[in-house]
Amino acid sequence: MGTQASAQGSLRPLNISIGRVPLSLLIPGPHLREKALSRYREFTADSEGGLPVVLRSDAQSARRPECKDPNFSYVLDDASMLLDSFGAEFHGVRQEYALDSLLRILLTMVLLPQRGFLLHAATVVRDGRAYVFTGRSGAGKSTVASLSPAGTVLTDEISLLKFTDGRWQAYGTPFWGEFRAAGQNEHYPIAGIYTLVQSAEDRVESLTTKEVIRALLPCVLFFTSKVEANEDLLRLLLGFVGQVPCERLHFRRDDAFWKVIAA
Amino acid sequence: MNLFPERNPKLAWREIDGEAVIISPEDSHVHELNETASLIWTSADGRHSVDDIADAMAAKYDVPLPVAKADACELIEMLSAKGLLVSPKQPEVQAGA
């Protein structure tokens, strides 16, 4: 990224860390930088040396010459990203929502070799352990979050799950849904993961490994069509399912479900 | 009929409890095969012939060879139609063979 770093002049990077992934954001323009600083305030990091992420307002065609063969590229509406072994470039980012979306996409690629992934899930902390509730849109993630005491919701939308310190842990993220919270830069060992089904009763249902994979796959954020990466994802999920209790939670729209999962 | 069926190299897959789960990365479609289809899938390496696969099926499920071969052919056609197996091609020939 040497060429890019010098091209950005004396820009001071905004250093953040999400799920122990240090990122060094080089954001031109004070307006977007202020927006980013506000959005990721809970995730700012003191240390430098994170993966360089250079934001450019131009289109993707202005990619740097040495990045002819990026490891990964993605186009999202008017914005796009390139990732290679030196860092990432975000093009066409003009507001914080595009930055947020590209950061999610970037993280899915960076986390994979670190045994981590992003999941459409709400995570609630109870007695020092993380309970992860996943499901497609409308399954009840926000409902579960809204039924939980203030301060216990690690995220209501995107959970970052990663194998660190010898166990699977859930990390707070700045990626929120309806709650629009700043997020908590904390992590907790995962007690279990629950696929949500709204029901007339509260009960948990055991799942086979295949059923869990079938439930998780549509909820994993993943954006590459590379076969090797998809193989790695399957391998990672199988390892996850082998080490974390995974069940289907039938629940009513009240907090009584805790009685059947955290008894 | 593909005489030497081969898995589509553009697909990612893992075997879970003896059954193949296959991801098509281009469209994120997930295919799940039953045990019999999974036997064909795992055998479809471009080197094993339909007869080889039918032999394996006959032995595993203790059925007459003609029945196994008919089932194998039907499943191979089905998997090919779904794009999971690639077009027929000649098997690789070992050097000096």
Side-chain angles (χ1 to χ4, degrees):
Chain A
M1 298 295 290
T3 304
Q4 280 305 312
S6 59
Q8 294 294 320
S10 58
L11 270 185
R12 187 163 50 89
L14 171 57
N15 296 309
I16 62 175
S17 178
I18 303 171
R20 289 195 192 174
V21 176
L23 303 170
S24 190
L25 308 181
L26 286 161
I27 306 174
H31 178 71
L32 185 56
R33 180 186 166 81
E34 282 304 310
K35 290 282 188 182
L37 185 58
S38 173
R39 199 173 188 90
Y40 307 123
R41 187 176 305 281
E42 296 297 322
F43 295 84
T44 53
D46 294 331
S47 59
E48 297 184 357
L51 183 76
V53 179
V54 180
L55 274 69
R56 298 173 63 88
S57 57
D58 55 7
Q60 185 176 336
S61 58
R63 69 172 62 170
R64 67 183 192 275
E66 66 270 33
C67 193
K68 290 177 181 172
D69 185 25
N71 297 333
F72 174 71
S73 62
Y74 196 86
V75 177
L76 181 73
D77 299 326
D78 295 332
S80 63
M81 68 166 289
L82 301 169
L83 172 66
D84 65 16
S85 54
F86 298 101
E89 283 187 9
F90 290 179
H91 291 261
V93 175
R94 295 181 181 83
Q95 34 88 355
E96 70 270 27
Y97 304 108
L99 170 61
D100 210 61
S101 296
L102 290 181
L103 276 179
R104 299 180 193 197
I105 296 168
L106 171 65
L107 276 173
T108 65
M109 296 303 295
V110 177
L111 282 169
L112 185 62
Q114 298 182 16
R115 299 179 70 180
F117 61 98
L118 296 180
L119 185 72
H120 281 292
T123 296
V124 180
V125 178
R126 189 177 173 110
D127 298 329
R129 298 199 301 164
Y131 294 79
V132 182
F133 303 92
T134 188
R136 297 192 193 220
S137 181
K141 300 187 292 293
S142 296
T143 301
V144 167
S146 67
L147 292 169
S148 302
T152 65
V153 181
L154 208 50
T155 173
D156 72 332
E157 178 74 7
I158 306 290
S159 293
L160 192 159
L161 312 181
K162 187 176 180 183
F163 190 84
T164 47
D165 301 329
R167 57 187 175 181
W168 280 95
Q169 306 202 58
Y171 286 75
T173 74
F175 311 127
W176 284 66
E178 295 178 9
F179 275 49
R180 302 288 179 209
Q184 306 169 47
N185 196 0
E186 299 172 354
H187 60 277
Y188 299 88
I190 300 175
I193 185 165
Y194 303 90
T195 66
L196 293 170
V197 178
Q198 296 193 28
S199 174
E201 58 179 343
D202 296 310
R203 66 182 174 91
V204 290
E205 175 186 356
S206 298
L207 298 174
T208 66
T209 299
K210 197 171 176 179
E211 287 173 330
V212 176
I213 296 295
R214 184 187 301 148
L216 290 185
L217 272 175
C219 299
V220 175
L221 278 73
F222 209 61
F223 301 91
T224 177
S225 59
K226 289 190 174 182
V227 174
E228 298 79 9
N230 280 267
E231 297 263 15
D232 289 345
L233 175 65
L234 271 176
R235 192 177 301 115
L236 182 70
L237 291 180
L238 281 171
F240 176 82
V241 173
Q243 296 183 42
V244 174
C246 305
E247 297 176 310
R248 180 174 293 137
L249 173 62
H250 300 256
F251 82 113
R252 296 174 291 180
R253 298 178 71 90
D254 60 37
D255 64 359
F257 65 86
W258 284 108
K259 293 177 182 173
V260 298
I261 64 173
Chain B
M1 166 57 61
N2 184 350
L3 297 179
F4 292 88
E6 185 173 359
R7 292 184 293 273
N8 186 335
K10 294 181 179 178
L11 303 174
W13 66 283
R14 300 293 291 177
E15 197 168 5
I16 302 173
D17 299 333
E19 298 182 343
V21 174
I22 304 164
I23 297 177
S24 173
E26 291 185 353
D27 59 9
S28 299
H29 193 82
V30 178
H31 304 266
E32 296 181 37
L33 305 186
N34 64 21
E35 185 180 331
T36 311
S38 296
L39 174 61
I40 291 175
W41 172 261
T42 55
S43 303
D45 55 6
R47 294 193 299 261
H48 288 92
S49 68
V50 173
D51 287 341
D52 293 335
I53 295 171
D55 284 343
M57 289 176 60
K60 181 167 184 176
Y61 298 113
D62 194 21
V63 296
L65 186 57
V67 174
K69 185 165 184 177
D71 287 347
C73 289
E74 184 178 341
L75 284 168
I76 288 168
E77 286 191 5
M78 182 269 290
L79 295 173
S80 299
K82 289 180 179 292
L84 303 184
L85 299 179
V86 293
S87 301
K89 63 177 238 182
Q90 294 298 314
E92 293 178 11
V93 178
Q94 297 291 328

